[in-house]
């Protein structure tokens, strides 16, 4: 064995020894147990906690840098001050069973200057669900009438469709209740079944949505003021939403072959940086690469700060048009992401989303 090989072997042994010594000098977090079982308990008992105690069996103080739980239902706490050699510290886990019936198994990740640097603790148990009260089952309330929700969602409705939705109600009062509305739009028909709900009786609000009478496109909302026994009080409001889409089901294969086709060479405009109060202007180019007229049904921005102006709403086959967009940064600050929805009669992609993005900074104060 030559001198060079001997030197390398000695260096490797010496380096490994130094590394092992460095690792051995790190503090050690010794737990009696890293798992705890709360067993079975009732939801109404509320939050339960357990402290995992440890001893520092190393030669240096333990510093816990971070403790993270695997679920927002579990809140950690821990020794914030350094734990000296031979002394005890703790990591506490508090589990909230509210609305979480059944078995649970959660982890708590502890990061410290220890060897190893990461320690995983675990809590588990099983929650017996509490008996639901009327307020739990019907959380919304309007003058004695309790509702499962004050929002009726029709999700997707075809523009030729008449669709029905309902939500459950309960009369919590001691007298009968009738339901009415200040103004009912033509596309909606809403009634309570039964029409007069007796004290402590369950019922339904049944709504019928006629999309052809709405004469609109995309996500739309109606706000209805509710009358209980003919009386209105502030806050008595029912929200009805729907996503109205065009009905292309009747199109034949031949009609689809000559349908319009929407295309945008770019779908994102980054205005970079604006000083609050400034405006950013941009023009998106919209092309019709199909074989028949492309009709813009609707353009809508996710924020009133963004104005949209298409040059025309009918684009001939093979032609293009401009879609001018103005973003007003007044009252805005920080990173901005605004969506623009363009709804057309393209059966393959009837709704296209464009994005306006950038950063708004505050003006300098002299």
């Amino acid at each position: 064995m030559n001198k060079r090989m001997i030197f390398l072997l000695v260096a490797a042994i010496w380096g490994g020894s130094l590394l092992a010594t460095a690792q051995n000098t790190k503090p050690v977090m010794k737990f009696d147990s890293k798992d705890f079982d709360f067993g079975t308990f009732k939801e109404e008992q509320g939050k339960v906690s357990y402290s995992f105690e440890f001893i520092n069996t190393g030669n240096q103080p333990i510093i816990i840098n971070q403790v993270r739980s695997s679920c927002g239902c579990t809140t950690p706490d821990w020794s914030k001050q350094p734990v000296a050699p031979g002394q005890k510290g703790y990591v506490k886990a508090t589990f909230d069973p509210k609305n979480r019936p059944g078995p649970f198994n959660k982890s708590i990740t502890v990061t410290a200057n220890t060897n190893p640097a990461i320690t995983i603790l675990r809590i588990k148990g099983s929650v017996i669900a509490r008996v639901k009260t009327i307020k739990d089952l019907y959380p919304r309330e309007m003058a004695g009438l309790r509702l499962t929700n004050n929002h009726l969602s029709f999700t997707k409705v075809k523009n030729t469709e008449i669709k029905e939705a309902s939500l459950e109600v309960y009369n919590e009062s001691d007298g009968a209740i009738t339901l009415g509305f200040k103004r009912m739009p033509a596309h909606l028909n809403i009634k309570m079944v039964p029409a007069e709900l007796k004290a402590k009786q369950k019922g339904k609000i049944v709504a019928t949505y006629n999309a052809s009478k709405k004469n609109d496109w995309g996500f739309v909302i109606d706000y209805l003021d509710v009358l209980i026994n003919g009386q209105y009080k502030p806050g008595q409001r029912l929200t009805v939403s729907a996503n109205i889409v065009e009905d292309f089901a009747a199109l034949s294969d031949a009609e689809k072959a000559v349908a319009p086709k929407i295309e945008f060479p770019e779908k994102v405009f980054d205005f970079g940086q604006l000083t609050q109060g400034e405006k950013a202007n941009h023009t998106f180019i919209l092309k019709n690469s199909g074989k028949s007229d492309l009709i813009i049904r609707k353009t809508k921005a996710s924020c009133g700060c963004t104005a949209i102006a298409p040059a025309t709403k009918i684009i001939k086959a093979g032609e293009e048009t401009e879609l001018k967009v103005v973003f007003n940064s007044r009252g805005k600050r920080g990173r901005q992401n605004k969506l623009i929805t363009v709804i057309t009669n393209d059966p393959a992609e009837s709704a296209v989303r464009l994005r306006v993005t950038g950063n708004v900074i505050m003006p300098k104060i002299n």
Side-chain angles (χ1 to χ4, degrees):
M1 184 179 292
N2 59 38
K3 291 182 179 180
R4 178 177 174 80
M5 291 182 66
I6 294 172
F7 172 77
L8 291 174
L9 180 60
V10 171
I13 295 171
W14 180 68
S17 177
L18 282 179
L19 179 62
T21 302
Q23 288 178 337
N24 289 335
T25 58
K26 283 189 174 183
V28 178
M29 189 181 288
K30 184 179 180 181
F31 290 89
D32 288 336
S33 176
K34 296 179 182 179
D35 298 273
F36 181 76
D37 189 347
F38 286 103
T40 300
F41 61 97
K42 295 180 178 180
E43 182 182 347
E44 55 264 36
Q45 286 180 226
K47 297 178 181 179
V48 292
S49 300
Y50 180 74
S51 286
F52 293 90
E53 292 191 348
F54 63 87
I55 296 176
N56 181 357
T57 60
N59 299 317
Q60 295 180 20
I62 289 176
I63 300 173
I64 299 177
N65 300 314
Q66 186 183 51
V67 179
R68 292 181 292 107
S69 62
S70 60
C71 171
C73 59
T74 305
T75 305
D77 187 21
W78 61 93
S79 299
K80 302 299 193 301
Q81 300 300 320
V83 179
Q87 298 299 306
K88 289 184 177 181
Y90 72 91
V91 176
K92 183 179 178 182
T94 300
F95 175 77
D96 187 354
K98 186 177 180 180
N99 298 323
R100 294 182 178 90
F104 64 90
N105 193 324
K106 308 298 178 184
S107 63
I108 299 96
T109 303
V110 182
T111 305
N113 64 330
T114 52
N115 180 26
I118 293 177
T119 302
I120 305 295
L121 308 175
R122 193 168 295 278
I123 58 171
K124 63 181 179 178
S126 185
V127 179
I128 300 172
R130 62 188 169 87
V131 177
K132 300 292 184 182
T133 65
I134 289 296
K135 289 184 179 181
D136 293 325
L137 298 172
Y138 304 90
R140 304 293 181 179
E141 193 269 339
M142 297 181 189
L145 181 69
R146 302 202 72 94
L147 305 86
T148 52
N149 207 325
N150 60 354
H151 177 208
L152 259 171
S153 175
F154 281 87
T155 59
K156 187 177 289 186
V157 184
K158 295 178 182 178
N159 66 308
T160 57
E161 188 177 9
I162 298 175
K163 197 169 183 178
E164 186 176 281
S166 66
L167 57 85
E168 295 182 359
V169 295
Y170 175 79
N171 182 359
E172 189 181 36
S173 74
D174 295 324
I177 284 180
T178 59
L179 184 73
F181 299 91
K182 277 190 175 182
R183 289 172 295 275
M184 183 72 70
H187 62 281
L188 281 173
N189 180 24
I190 304 178
K191 61 183 179 180
M192 186 166 67
V193 180
E196 183 179 86
L197 199 62
K198 295 179 181 179
K200 316 307 177 188
Q201 185 181 11
K202 296 178 182 179
K204 286 186 178 182
I205 291 177
V206 180
T208 304
Y209 201 106
N210 189 332
S212 63
K213 289 185 178 180
K214 178 64 175 175
N215 193 29
D216 204 343
W217 302 94
F219 183 75
V220 291
I221 298 179
D222 290 285
Y223 299 100
L224 306 178
D225 291 330
V226 179
L227 303 175
I228 303 295
N229 292 333
Q231 300 295 314
Y232 170 76
K233 292 181 180 179
Q236 290 180 186
R237 174 172 281 185
L238 183 67
T239 305
V240 180
S241 67
N243 182 25
I244 302 176
V245 298
E246 191 157 353
D247 186 2
F248 297 109
L251 291 180
S252 65
D253 290 341
E255 288 172 320
K256 290 178 182 178
V258 295
K261 182 173 177 57
I262 189 171
E263 284 188 5
F264 283 95
E266 60 167 347
K267 293 183 179 180
V268 178
F269 165 53
D270 190 337
F271 58 75
Q273 183 168 285
L274 293 177
T275 300
Q276 189 181 74
E278 293 181 337
K279 295 181 180 180
N281 296 270
H282 185 69
T283 299
F284 288 99
I285 301 300
L286 186 160
K287 296 182 178 180
N288 178 9
S289 60
K291 298 180 180 179
S292 59
D293 289 354
L294 180 71
I295 303 171
I296 298 177
R297 304 290 194 195
K298 186 178 182 179
T299 56
K300 186 176 182 180
S302 59
C303 173
C305 58
T306 308
I308 316 153
T312 181
K313 291 196 172 184
I314 301 178
I315 303 96
K316 297 291 184 182
E319 295 185 359
E320 62 183 39
T321 191
E322 294 181 343
L323 191 69
K324 295 183 178 180
V325 174
V326 180
F327 169 74
N328 188 344
S329 67
R330 184 176 62 184
K332 306 295 180 184
R333 64 184 300 178
R335 193 70 193 172
Q336 303 295 311
N337 277 290
K338 308 304 177 186
L339 293 178
I340 297 165
T341 303
V342 182
I343 300 172
T344 70
N345 63 331
D346 177 356
E349 192 177 15
S350 61
V352 177
R353 287 177 175 80
L354 311 175
R355 186 160 61 93
V356 176
T357 185
N359 191 46
V360 177
I361 62 172
M362 299 297 290
K364 294 181 180 179
I365 300 175
N366 296 325

